[in-house]
Amino acid sequence: MSKVVVMDHPLIQHKITILRSKDTPVKEFRALANEIALLMGYESTRDIPLRDIEVETPLTKTMGKEVTKDIAVIPILRAGLGMVDALLSLFPSAKVGHIGLYRDPETHKPVEYYCKLPTEIEERTSIVVDPMLATGGSAVAAIDFLKARGAKNIKFMCLIAAPEGVKVLTEAHPDVDVFIGSLDEKLNDHCYIVPGLGDAGDRLFGTL
Ligand code: PRP
Ligand code: URA
């Protein structure tokens, strides 16, 4: 059964409110997406593996902990790219895999156009990032690709989710924990999240 965590930290709620505003310009939108992803990344990786390492302080040798280097950050293109730098600042030696998907405007179903993953994906903790979980089609397809290529330990992180997408994702991949910045009300007739923030890719890249 998936763990579904809706981040209720005041800073995340504050920043998501600004992110939603139609008056927030592209530069600020990018900065906020990065900051929220950073806060979420900290919380969503509480259970990642550590190994013991020896460290020498100015006084003595002691044992410390080292975060595993076996992390893969997997943005769903394009909008997932807006969350990558935040995770790389937390995990500088993480590898990055890209999965290119777009939603067909008529059917709203995901169409794959690119997939390039790090080696030994089966050994890594894969953190799939996409700002929006709407119908859930893109997240499910991306995680299907990852699993087909051997990935086992997968987390999904999004800034905004619709209840419909959470249900679809957790039913399709009950082994994947889902971290959400804000759980919104619903999807509209065009499968956009309401209240949402509009088209995340367009807002991040200024292609409105
Ligand atoms: C958006 C978003 C997700 C997807 C979510 O991408 O970034 O990938 O829609 O919708 P779903 O849950 O209904 O699949 P979009 O298809 O607009 O592509 P883009 O990132 O290239 O703009
Ligand atoms: N994709 C987006 O970018 N926004 C939505 O609200 C739904 C899907």
Side-chain angles (χ1 to χ4, degrees):
M1 191 60 185
S2 308
K3 178 169 75 171
V4 177
V5 181
V6 181
M7 305 279 173
D8 56 1
H9 192 287
L11 272 174
I12 295 182
Q13 294 184 52
H14 172 89
K15 288 175 190 293
I16 286 183
T17 303
I18 308 171
L19 195 73
R20 290 185 193 283
S21 169
K22 64 180 178 42
D23 297 324
T24 298
V26 63
K27 182 166 175 254
E28 197 182 346
F29 189 94
R30 272 185 207 137
L32 284 162
N34 182 66
E35 288 164 21
I36 299 162
L38 188 71
L39 294 166
M40 292 184 68
Y42 174 80
E43 188 58 33
S44 62
T45 52
R46 275 187 178 280
D47 61 349
I48 55 165
L50 291 170
R51 357 175 205 265
D52 295 327
I53 56 158
E54 192 180 76
V55 59
E56 191 167 356
T57 78
L59 305 182
T60 184
K61 284 186 179 166
T62 186
M63 290 308 290
K65 300 283 182 192
E66 181 183 50
V67 165
T68 172
K69 296 193 172 63
D70 304 331
I71 301 271
V73 181
I74 316 284
I76 302 179
L77 304 180
R78 359 164 237 164
L81 290 174
M83 299 168 72
V84 172
D85 285 352
L87 287 167
L88 290 182
S89 62
L90 293 173
F91 302 104
S93 28
K95 302 290 192 300
V96 182
H98 296 85
I99 297 181
L101 293 174
Y102 68 88
R103 289 202 315 179
D104 182 285
E106 303 293 324
T107 64
H108 308 303
K109 299 269 183 244
V111 181
E112 184 194 358
Y113 61 88
Y114 189 75
C115 184
K116 182 81 179 172
L117 300 178
T119 56
E120 289 146 20
I121 194 73
E122 63 283 357
E123 310 290 333
R124 303 179 187 279
T125 298
S126 296
I127 309 175
V128 179
V129 292
D130 191 327
M132 310 305 274
L133 177 64
T135 64
S138 304
V140 169
I143 294 170
D144 285 344
F145 296 144
L146 269 176
K147 286 186 175 173
R149 289 159 174 91
K152 291 189 186 78
N153 187 1
I154 303 171
K155 295 172 187 284
F156 180 82
M157 245 178 73
C158 64
L159 305 184
I160 297 193
E164 295 89 331
V166 176
K167 184 165 186 292
V168 166
L169 175 55
T170 54
E171 284 178 4
H173 294 294
D175 55 319
V176 172
D177 291 340
V178 180
F179 298 87
I180 299 169
S182 171
L183 182 59
D184 276 14
E185 199 185 317
K186 60 176 183 189
L187 295 178
N188 70 11
D189 294 344
H190 304 287
C191 292
Y192 270 77
I193 301 175
V194 180
L197 51 71
D199 186 303
D202 284 345
R203 296 204 58 188
L204 263 172
F205 296 109
T207 48
L208 282 172

